[in-house]
Amino acid sequence: MSPDPTNEANPQNDGPRKKVTTKSLIRMKQRGEPIAALTAYDCIMAELLDQAGVDVILVGDSVSTVMQGLDTTVTVTMDHMLYHAALVRRGASRALVVGDLPFMSYQVNSDDALRNAGRMVKEAGVEAVKLEGGRVICDTVRRIVDVGIPVMGHLGLTPQSIHKFGTYQVRARSTEEADEVRSDALALEKAGAFAIVIEKVPSELAKGVTESVSIPVIGIGAGPGCDGQILVSHDMLGICTRFNPRFVRRYADLANDMRSSFGHYVRDVKAHEFPTQNESY
Ligand code: KIV
C-alpha cells in the first residue's frame, strides 16, 4: 500500500497510523517523544515492523552481514541496495523508509552521489538516504538535499570505514575524536541533514551531540540520551547470533525456534508423518 503523502504526522495529534515524515521526526524530537527505528531488507519484515509502529525503517548496508554472509559492508553495491530497498518499500506504509547509500556510491564525487541518491528514490521508492561521514561529505549532503532528497547522516563507528579503523570497537573515546564527532554533527545539521545516526560512542558524547543539534539523533550503542534508537532487526530477534555486542537487547531467540521447527519438519518427513490426509488433496 502506498503512503498518502498528505497524511503527514500532526504535532498535536499523531495517531498511531499517521505517516511518518522527516518533519514529523523533527517534531518528535521537539516534544521529547523517542523515535523507534529498525532495519529491514525485505517486504514481509518491513510489513511487520510497520504494523508494530516502528517509526523509521532503514534498509541498511548491514544486508551484507545479515543476508549475504559477509564480514563487512564494504562490498555492497548500488544494485544490491536498490533491490532490497524496493522490497522494503512495498511492505511499509506508515514508517519513513531510509536507504543506505553503499560504500563508494557517494564518496568519489557529488555528481555520482546525486545520481545514486536519485536512483534510490526513483527506482526503489525510499523517502530518504543515509550516508556515512561528517564534514568531508557535507558539500555532497547539501547537493542531495537541495534537489529534494532528505539525508540522514551517520557518525561514530561508520562501518564502511572498517579498514581504516581496523576494529569495531567503541569510537571517540579520545578528546580529539569526540571533538570531531561534535563538529561533524553540527556540520551535517548545517548542510541540511534531517537526522543523524550515531553508532557505538560513549553515552555522554552522544547525549551532548543530541542536545547540540535541532535534528533527531538516533543512537545504536550510544546510550539512552539520544532522540531515538536503532537496532538491526535480525540481531534483536536473535536470528543472527554471530554478532553479540552488549548494546543489542535480544527480544526473541528466533534462531533456536527456527532451528527446532526445521528439525521437527525433517523428523516428520523422514517418519512419514507429514503430510497427513488432512494436509493432502
Ligand atoms: O547498515 C545498518 O544497518 C546501519 C545501522 C546499524 C545504523 O547503518
Side-chain angles (χ1 to χ4, degrees):
M1 184 180 130
S2 300
D4 170 3
T6 60
N7 186 20
E8 199 202 311
N10 163 336
Q12 254 62 57
N13 180 27
D14 274 352
R17 297 306 307 165
K18 291 277 187 190
K19 174 77 188 116
V20 178
T21 66
T22 56
K23 295 285 177 287
S24 55
L25 292 176
I26 290 170
R27 287 197 294 267
M28 285 171 80
K29 174 178 179 120
Q30 289 164 351
R31 338 190 256 282
E33 180 184 340
I35 295 165
L38 284 170
T39 59
Y41 318 102
D42 61 58
C43 180
I44 183 64
M45 185 69 91
E47 225 170 78
L48 295 171
L49 298 184
D50 203 78
Q51 288 162 2
V54 168
D55 300 306
V56 177
I57 301 179
L58 172 70
V59 191
D61 57 3
S62 52
V63 69
S64 62
T65 47
V66 175
M67 309 287 284
Q68 298 177 335
L70 298 168
D71 289 331
T72 78
T73 59
V74 297
T75 54
V76 175
T77 66
M78 264 313 288
D79 285 343
H80 295 154
M81 291 309 301
L82 287 168
Y83 174 75
H84 287 282
L87 302 186
V88 168
R89 191 64 198 81
R90 247 171 256 161
S93 56
R94 172 186 174 269
L96 183 85
V97 177
V98 181
D100 256 345
L101 284 188
F103 183 53
M104 296 316 285
S105 69
Y106 59 94
Q107 290 94 339
V108 176
N109 59 58
S110 61
D111 287 346
D112 260 9
L114 206 52
R115 208 168 290 118
N116 287 322
R119 288 190 72 195
M120 284 294 273
V121 174
K122 281 181 75 85
E123 294 175 36
V126 304
E127 296 156 311
V129 293
K130 177 163 79 61
L131 281 67
E132 295 185 5
R135 282 157 293 173
V136 73
I137 58 154
C138 276
D139 289 342
T140 295
V141 170
R142 198 169 291 108
R143 272 195 80 189
I144 297 174
V145 173
D146 279 350
V147 299
I149 301 174
V151 172
M152 177 180 270
H154 186 154
L155 297 174
L157 176 63
T158 46
Q160 292 177 8
S161 302
I162 184 59
H163 296 313
K164 182 173 92 180
F165 297 149
T167 137
Y168 287 107
Q169 293 301 306
V170 177
R171 303 303 312 174
R173 283 198 192 277
S174 70
T175 311
E176 296 74 30
E177 198 178 331
D179 284 344
E180 301 226 323
V181 170
R182 282 188 271 269
S183 304
D184 284 340
L186 292 172
L188 282 170
E189 177 181 32
K190 198 158 168 229
F194 75 93
I196 298 171
V197 164
I198 190 162
E199 179 164 354
K200 222 169 174 189
V201 300
S203 301
E204 270 314 296
L205 171 61
K207 185 167 184 288
V209 167
T210 302
E211 287 165 358
S212 74
V213 293
S214 60
I215 55 175
V217 175
I218 300 176
I220 173 164
C226 301
D227 298 305
Q229 299 293 328
I230 184 163
L231 286 176
V232 169
S233 294
H234 291 66
D235 292 341
M236 59 87 82
L237 290 173
I239 300 177
C240 284
T241 50
R242 276 181 304 162
F243 178 63
N244 208 12
R246 78 172 192 222
F247 68 75
V248 173
R249 183 178 292 180
R250 298 245 189 253
Y251 286 83
D253 184 14
L254 292 194
N256 269 334
D257 291 351
M258 290 166 84
R259 214 172 358 247
S260 130
S261 302
F262 299 146
H264 246 111
Y265 168 77
V266 170
R267 276 194 303 279
D268 286 352
V269 170
K270 303 270 181 203
H272 303 278
E273 286 176 9
F274 176 81
T276 62
Q277 278 307 322
N278 279 347
E279 289 158 330
S280 307
Y281 300 95

